[in-house]
Amino acid sequence: MSKKAVLVVISGPAGTGKGTVVKELVRRGAAEISISATTRVPRGQEQNGVEYHFLTKEKFERMIGEDGFLEYAEYCGNYYGSPKAPVDKWLSEGKNVILEIEVEGYQKVKAKRPDCIGIFIMPPSMEELENRLRGRNTETEEQIQKRLSRAAEEIPLAELYNYVVVNDSVQDCADKIEYIFKSETDN
Ligand code: 5GP
Protein backbone atom coordinates (compact mmCIF):
# COMPACT_ATOMS: atom_id res chain seq x y z
CA MET A 1 0.00 0.00 0.00
CA SER A 2 1.44 3.39 -0.89
CA LYS A 3 1.58 6.24 1.61
CA LYS A 4 2.35 9.93 1.78
CA ALA A 5 5.96 9.71 2.88
CA VAL A 6 8.49 7.03 3.71
CA LEU A 7 11.15 6.48 6.35
CA VAL A 8 14.23 5.31 4.46
CA VAL A 9 17.36 3.78 5.91
CA ILE A 10 20.43 4.01 3.69
CA SER A 11 23.48 1.90 4.47
CA GLY A 12 26.53 0.73 2.57
CA PRO A 13 30.24 0.15 3.11
CA ALA A 14 32.57 3.13 3.72
CA GLY A 15 33.77 4.40 0.35
CA THR A 16 30.58 3.59 -1.63
CA GLY A 17 29.84 7.32 -1.88
CA LYS A 18 26.52 7.05 -0.02
CA GLY A 19 27.08 10.38 1.73
CA THR A 20 27.36 12.15 -1.64
CA VAL A 21 24.24 10.40 -2.95
CA VAL A 22 22.26 11.39 0.17
CA LYS A 23 23.42 15.04 -0.17
CA GLU A 24 22.25 15.00 -3.80
CA LEU A 25 18.80 13.67 -2.76
CA VAL A 26 18.48 16.44 -0.14
CA ARG A 27 19.62 19.03 -2.72
CA ARG A 28 16.84 17.81 -5.04
CA GLY A 29 14.32 18.21 -2.21
CA ALA A 30 13.51 14.47 -2.36
CA ALA A 31 13.94 13.93 1.40
CA GLU A 32 15.02 15.33 4.75
CA ILE A 33 18.12 13.89 6.39
CA SER A 34 18.05 12.88 10.04
CA ILE A 35 21.02 14.33 11.94
CA SER A 36 22.29 11.79 14.46
CA ALA A 37 23.28 12.58 18.02
CA THR A 38 26.65 11.43 19.37
CA THR A 39 28.77 11.73 22.48
CA ARG A 40 32.05 11.72 20.53
CA VAL A 41 33.96 14.98 20.20
CA PRO A 42 33.69 16.93 16.91
CA ARG A 43 36.41 16.17 14.35
CA GLY A 44 38.08 18.87 12.25
CA GLN A 45 35.53 21.31 10.81
CA GLU A 46 32.46 19.45 12.13
CA GLN A 47 29.76 21.75 13.49
CA ASN A 48 27.08 21.07 16.07
CA GLY A 49 23.73 20.54 14.35
CA VAL A 50 25.32 20.01 10.90
CA GLU A 51 27.19 16.68 10.86
CA TYR A 52 25.89 15.62 14.29
CA HIS A 53 24.24 16.92 17.40
CA PHE A 54 27.16 16.69 19.83
CA LEU A 55 25.78 15.80 23.27
CA THR A 56 27.28 15.07 26.68
CA LYS A 57 26.96 11.48 27.93
CA GLU A 58 24.50 12.71 30.60
CA LYS A 59 22.25 14.42 28.05
CA PHE A 60 22.39 11.39 25.72
CA GLU A 61 21.48 9.02 28.57
CA ARG A 62 18.63 11.31 29.61
CA MET A 63 17.29 11.11 26.04
CA ILE A 64 17.53 7.29 26.14
CA GLY A 65 15.48 7.36 29.38
CA GLU A 66 12.88 9.61 27.74
CA ASP A 67 12.61 7.19 24.76
CA GLY A 68 13.95 9.97 22.54
CA PHE A 69 15.74 7.72 20.02
CA LEU A 70 14.42 5.56 17.20
CA GLU A 71 17.60 3.53 17.73
CA TYR A 72 20.99 4.05 19.31
CA ALA A 73 24.22 2.10 19.50
CA GLU A 74 27.54 2.24 21.30
CA TYR A 75 30.46 2.35 18.87
CA CYS A 76 34.13 2.63 19.89
CA GLY A 77 33.22 3.91 23.36
CA ASN A 78 30.72 6.56 22.20
CA TYR A 79 26.98 6.65 21.78
CA TYR A 80 25.34 7.31 18.39
CA GLY A 81 21.59 7.60 17.94
CA SER A 82 18.78 8.81 15.66
CA PRO A 83 16.51 11.33 17.46
CA LYS A 84 12.87 10.34 17.05
CA ALA A 85 11.05 13.72 17.23
CA PRO A 86 12.29 15.32 13.95
CA VAL A 87 11.72 12.07 12.04
CA ASP A 88 8.09 11.83 13.16
CA LYS A 89 7.51 15.55 12.56
CA TRP A 90 8.75 15.33 8.94
CA LEU A 91 6.80 12.13 8.25
CA SER A 92 3.61 13.77 9.57
CA GLU A 93 4.27 16.68 7.19
CA GLY A 94 4.43 14.22 4.27
CA LYS A 95 8.22 14.49 3.84
CA ASN A 96 10.43 11.48 3.14
CA VAL A 97 13.13 11.02 5.79
CA ILE A 98 16.55 9.41 5.33
CA LEU A 99 18.56 7.83 8.13
CA GLU A 100 22.13 7.18 7.00
CA ILE A 101 23.25 4.59 9.55
CA GLU A 102 25.09 1.28 9.66
CA VAL A 103 23.60 -2.19 9.35
CA GLU A 104 22.94 -2.87 13.06
CA GLY A 105 21.10 0.45 13.39
CA TYR A 106 18.99 -0.51 10.36
CA GLN A 107 17.97 -3.81 11.97
CA LYS A 108 16.85 -1.96 15.11
CA VAL A 109 14.81 0.57 13.11
CA LYS A 110 13.25 -2.24 10.99
CA ALA A 111 12.16 -4.04 14.20
CA LYS A 112 10.47 -0.86 15.53
CA ARG A 113 9.14 0.47 12.22
CA PRO A 114 8.59 -2.55 9.93
CA ASP A 115 7.27 -0.30 7.17
CA CYS A 116 10.57 1.58 6.81
CA ILE A 117 12.36 1.06 3.50
CA GLY A 118 15.94 -0.22 3.59
CA ILE A 119 18.24 0.72 0.70
CA PHE A 120 21.73 -0.75 0.56
CA ILE A 121 24.19 1.14 -1.63
CA MET A 122 26.70 -1.17 -3.23
CA PRO A 123 30.03 -0.22 -4.80
CA PRO A 124 30.38 -1.28 -8.47
CA SER A 125 33.09 -3.79 -7.40
CA MET A 126 35.52 -4.44 -4.56
CA GLU A 127 38.32 -3.14 -6.80
CA GLU A 128 36.46 0.13 -7.31
CA LEU A 129 35.75 0.38 -3.56
CA GLU A 130 39.45 -0.02 -2.85
CA ASN A 131 40.31 2.63 -5.49
CA ARG A 132 37.82 5.06 -3.95
CA LEU A 133 39.08 4.48 -0.40
CA ARG A 134 42.67 5.02 -1.55
CA GLY A 135 41.64 8.05 -3.66
CA ARG A 136 40.24 9.84 -0.58
CA ASN A 137 43.77 9.92 0.86
CA THR A 138 42.31 10.27 4.35
CA GLU A 139 43.06 6.82 5.80
CA THR A 140 46.22 4.93 6.68
CA GLU A 141 46.91 1.55 5.01
CA GLU A 142 45.76 -0.19 8.21
CA GLN A 143 42.48 1.77 8.25
CA ILE A 144 41.92 0.98 4.55
CA GLN A 145 42.40 -2.74 5.23
CA LYS A 146 40.01 -2.54 8.23
CA ARG A 147 37.33 -0.80 6.13
CA LEU A 148 37.75 -3.29 3.28
CA SER A 149 37.31 -6.26 5.60
CA ARG A 150 34.32 -4.53 7.25
CA ALA A 151 32.87 -4.03 3.73
CA ALA A 152 33.27 -7.76 3.02
CA GLU A 153 31.27 -8.48 6.20
CA GLU A 154 28.57 -5.91 5.41
CA ILE A 155 27.93 -6.75 1.75
CA PRO A 156 26.23 -10.14 2.44
CA LEU A 157 23.82 -8.26 4.78
CA ALA A 158 22.49 -6.36 1.77
CA GLU A 159 19.87 -9.15 1.51
CA LEU A 160 18.17 -7.71 4.63
CA TYR A 161 17.30 -4.55 2.68
CA ASN A 162 14.28 -3.87 0.46
CA TYR A 163 16.44 -2.52 -2.36
CA VAL A 164 20.07 -2.73 -3.43
CA VAL A 165 21.35 0.09 -5.64
CA VAL A 166 24.79 0.10 -7.24
CA ASN A 167 26.51 3.49 -7.08
CA ASP A 168 28.31 3.69 -10.42
CA SER A 169 27.43 7.38 -10.82
CA VAL A 170 25.99 9.76 -8.22
CA GLN A 171 23.28 11.13 -10.56
CA ASP A 172 22.11 7.67 -11.72
CA CYS A 173 22.11 6.33 -8.17
CA ALA A 174 20.12 9.36 -6.90
CA ASP A 175 17.68 8.94 -9.86
CA LYS A 176 17.07 5.30 -8.91
CA ILE A 177 16.48 6.15 -5.26
CA GLU A 178 14.08 8.96 -6.21
CA TYR A 179 12.21 6.42 -8.33
CA ILE A 180 11.98 4.12 -5.30
CA PHE A 181 10.54 7.02 -3.23
CA LYS A 182 7.92 7.62 -5.94
CA SER A 183 6.94 3.97 -6.23
CA GLU A 184 6.62 3.63 -2.42
CA THR A 185 4.51 6.77 -1.94
CA ASP A 186 1.52 8.33 -3.63
CA ASN A 187 3.31 11.65 -4.24
P1 5GP B 1 31.87 8.47 12.88
O1 5GP B 1 32.38 8.60 14.29
O2 5GP B 1 32.97 8.00 11.95
O3 5GP B 1 31.18 9.71 12.40
O4 5GP B 1 30.75 7.32 12.86
C1 5GP B 1 31.02 6.05 13.39
C2 5GP B 1 29.92 5.07 13.00
O5 5GP B 1 28.67 5.44 13.60
C3 5GP B 1 29.63 5.00 11.49
O6 5GP B 1 29.59 3.62 11.13
C4 5GP B 1 28.27 5.63 11.34
O7 5GP B 1 27.52 5.06 10.27
C5 5GP B 1 27.63 5.26 12.65
N1 5GP B 1 26.50 6.12 12.99
C6 5GP B 1 26.37 7.45 12.80
N2 5GP B 1 25.19 7.88 13.27
C7 5GP B 1 24.55 6.79 13.77
C8 5GP B 1 23.27 6.59 14.39
O8 5GP B 1 22.46 7.50 14.59
N3 5GP B 1 22.99 5.32 14.77
C9 5GP B 1 23.85 4.27 14.56
N4 5GP B 1 23.45 3.06 14.94
N5 5GP B 1 25.05 4.44 13.98
C10 5GP B 1 25.40 5.68 13.59
Side-chain angles (χ1 to χ4, degrees):
M1 206 181 65
S2 61
K3 43 192 153 332
K4 248 186 129 217
V6 274
L7 175 60
V8 178
V9 178
I10 293 188
S11 310
T16 38
K18 59 183 187 302
T20 315
V21 172
V22 169
K23 279 200 192 92
E24 173 60 16
L25 289 163
V26 172
R27 192 194 66 77
R28 294 182 186 187
E32 301 288 339
I33 174 88
S34 158
I35 300 171
S36 295
T38 183
T39 56
R40 84 150 162 74
V41 293
R43 271 195 311 246
Q45 302 297 309
E46 285 180 339
Q47 287 172 47
N48 190 31
V50 180
E51 286 82 5
Y52 284 105
H53 298 292
F54 294 100
L55 305 184
T56 60
K57 193 163 179 258
E58 292 67 34
K59 173 86 175 98
F60 198 104
E61 286 175 343
R62 201 176 328 131
M63 270 184 77
I64 296 173
E66 290 163 355
D67 194 26
F69 292 109
L70 252 182
E71 61 77 40
Y72 71 93
E74 223 179 318
Y75 179 94
C76 295
N78 286 301
Y79 285 124
Y80 292 82
S82 311
K84 201 169 12 180
V87 171
D88 286 335
K89 178 177 167 286
W90 283 320
L91 289 173
S92 74
E93 291 168 357
K95 295 172 179 161
N96 300 319
V97 183
I98 297 175
L99 304 181
E100 190 201 324
I101 57 176
E102 40 66 67
V103 179
E104 275 174 43
Y106 166 61
Q107 289 171 282
K108 290 182 192 166
V109 175
K110 194 74 179 171
K112 265 197 185 169
R113 305 276 176 104
D115 60 344
C116 78
I117 308 294
I119 302 178
F120 193 91
I121 301 194
M122 196 73 93
S125 66
M126 287 305 278
E127 289 74 24
E128 183 56 27
L129 184 71
E130 187 164 351
N131 288 341
R132 287 181 191 179
L133 279 174
R134 291 192 188 287
R136 303 207 291 208
N137 264 331
T138 50
E139 278 104 351
T140 62
E141 181 60 29
E142 193 193 343
Q143 286 168 329
I144 290 171
Q145 292 306 329
K146 228 185 227 169
R147 280 165 186 261
L148 284 172
S149 68
R150 180 78 202 259
E153 284 166 23
E154 284 171 343
I155 286 171
L157 300 175
E159 68 173 29
L160 301 173
Y161 287 72
N162 301 86
Y163 298 91
V164 176
V165 180
V166 176
N167 182 19
D168 29 30
S169 105
V170 172
Q171 293 302 326
D172 286 356
C173 188
D175 286 350
K176 285 175 192 149
I177 295 176
E178 257 199 289
Y179 185 77
I180 293 170
F181 289 175
K182 289 201 172 82
S183 67
E184 294 281 352
T185 60
D186 46 26
N187 284 323

